[in-house]
Amino acid sequence: MNNTNITNAIELLKSDVKKVGFICAMDCELEAVTRLFDGASKTKYGSITFVTGSICGVDAVAAKCGVGKVFAAICAQTMILGFSPDLIINTGVAGNLSDSLKIGDIALSRAVVQHDMDTSPLGDPIGMISDINVVEIESYLPAAHVMKSCLEDIGINCELGVIASGDQFIASAEKRKFIKEHFSAISCEMEGAAVGHTCFVSGVRFLVVRALSDDANNDSPEDFPAYCVKVSEISSKAILAFMEKLGK
Ligand code: ADE
């Protein structure tokens, strides 16, 4: 996108988005977001604690959902009903599938897919979500492009593409190859597509922003714990840069 298009995307974001929701799977990922909050307070809905406040003068709400698609969908739906965010950003860490990215870089969703959704014995494409009958769910692209431009400004390498989610930690060449090749995915994690699916059925904008903690291969069981906290800091920088743009 050129500068004029980015300026237009920022203007669109400012008029569309008055409150941003953040959903993270783990405590270290949530901490990287909530430390950016001003005037934070806590509200509990069921088992989920929501932090409300503002970032750079923009209303915000954040919660830890837990690991996996079911927890993520429960959290997204509760956040939508309880706090009415205009945009939900699912952030945290992920496994890298792209040749253009490395640990510490950021994957941004153009769209999300569920790599473990499979009704192909019934004649459907692998990954197709029955009832809505799509494989890919598209993210809110103005936010994706503004986030990409913010990252480029602060020197963080990133790529916009398909992010694949499933209830599996990917740590083998075989699974990596399947997800990368079948869905043309740049990254894999365990919640983004569930947040996207929930947002899609409720008509809420969403974006997935993931700092890469491992390469979704045999090294991942060691790399993931080693890099998780460190790369969560990079997501935090990304969010701050984005919210600064939105708040200006
Ligand atoms: N989150 C971070 N790394 C991951 C991986 N390799 N698979 C699934 N989720 C992840």
Side-chain angles (χ1 to χ4, degrees):
M1 258 198 186
N2 62 30
N3 285 347
T4 313
N5 290 340
I6 289 294
T7 307
N8 291 341
I10 293 169
E11 288 315 308
L12 189 62
L13 263 182
K14 283 183 173 172
S15 70
D16 280 352
V17 178
K18 305 296 178 202
K19 188 190 284 184
V20 183
F22 295 93
I23 294 179
C24 311
M26 297 181 299
D27 284 321
C28 67
E29 297 169 328
L30 182 69
E31 154 61 18
V33 176
T34 52
R35 91 164 70 99
L36 303 174
F37 272 61
D38 293 316
S41 66
K42 291 184 177 174
T43 315
K44 210 166 171 193
Y45 274 103
S47 60
I48 308 169
T49 301
F50 290 90
V51 180
T52 55
S54 65
I55 305 177
C56 304
V58 180
D59 285 346
V61 52
K64 178 184 105 164
C65 61
V67 175
K69 293 189 301 167
V70 175
F71 274 139
I74 293 169
C75 184
Q77 191 63 49
T78 308
M79 183 181 276
I80 289 167
L81 295 176
F83 299 91
S84 307
D86 302 303
L87 166 70
I88 294 184
I89 297 181
N90 173 234
T91 185
V93 303
N96 176 34
L97 302 176
S98 168
D99 299 333
S100 316
L101 296 172
K102 57 181 189 325
I103 292 174
D105 291 342
I106 288 200
L108 298 173
S109 63
R110 175 190 61 71
V112 292
V113 299
Q114 296 175 38
H115 65 73
D116 57 355
M117 176 64 85
D118 186 1
T119 54
S120 63
L122 303 175
D124 299 327
I126 294 175
M128 194 193 84
I129 304 164
S130 299
D131 293 318
I132 57 175
N133 298 338
V134 294
V135 175
E136 289 188 0
I137 298 180
E138 191 170 274
S139 299
Y140 181 54
L141 296 181
H145 286 291
V146 170
M147 183 67 86
K148 188 165 186 286
S149 128
C150 289
L151 291 172
E152 284 163 0
D153 287 349
I154 58 174
I156 296 176
N157 188 41
C158 67
E159 188 176 358
L160 185 58
V162 173
I163 296 186
S165 311
D167 288 320
Q168 299 162 359
F169 185 84
I170 306 303
S172 77
E174 193 190 1
K175 285 230 163 103
R176 185 183 202 279
K177 186 173 187 300
F178 166 73
I179 298 168
K180 179 179 161 79
E181 290 180 2
H182 194 85
F183 299 101
S184 302
I186 60 167
S187 167
C188 60
E189 37 80 309
M190 301 177 69
E191 297 83 22
V195 171
H197 188 164
T198 308
C199 286
F200 178 83
V201 296
S202 293
V204 176
R205 303 168 191 87
F206 79 94
L207 176 67
V208 182
V209 180
R210 296 278 185 153
L212 301 171
S213 56
D214 58 272
D215 284 310
N217 60 15
N218 292 335
D219 295 332
S220 292
E222 286 83 45
D223 286 344
F224 172 73
Y227 287 104
C228 204
V229 174
K230 211 165 156 186
V231 304
S232 291
E233 298 299 319
I234 296 166
S235 312
S236 180
K237 282 188 191 158
I239 288 158
L240 181 60
F242 178 82
M243 294 300 276
E244 272 170 358
K245 275 263 151 58
L246 199 56
K248 259 188 195 155

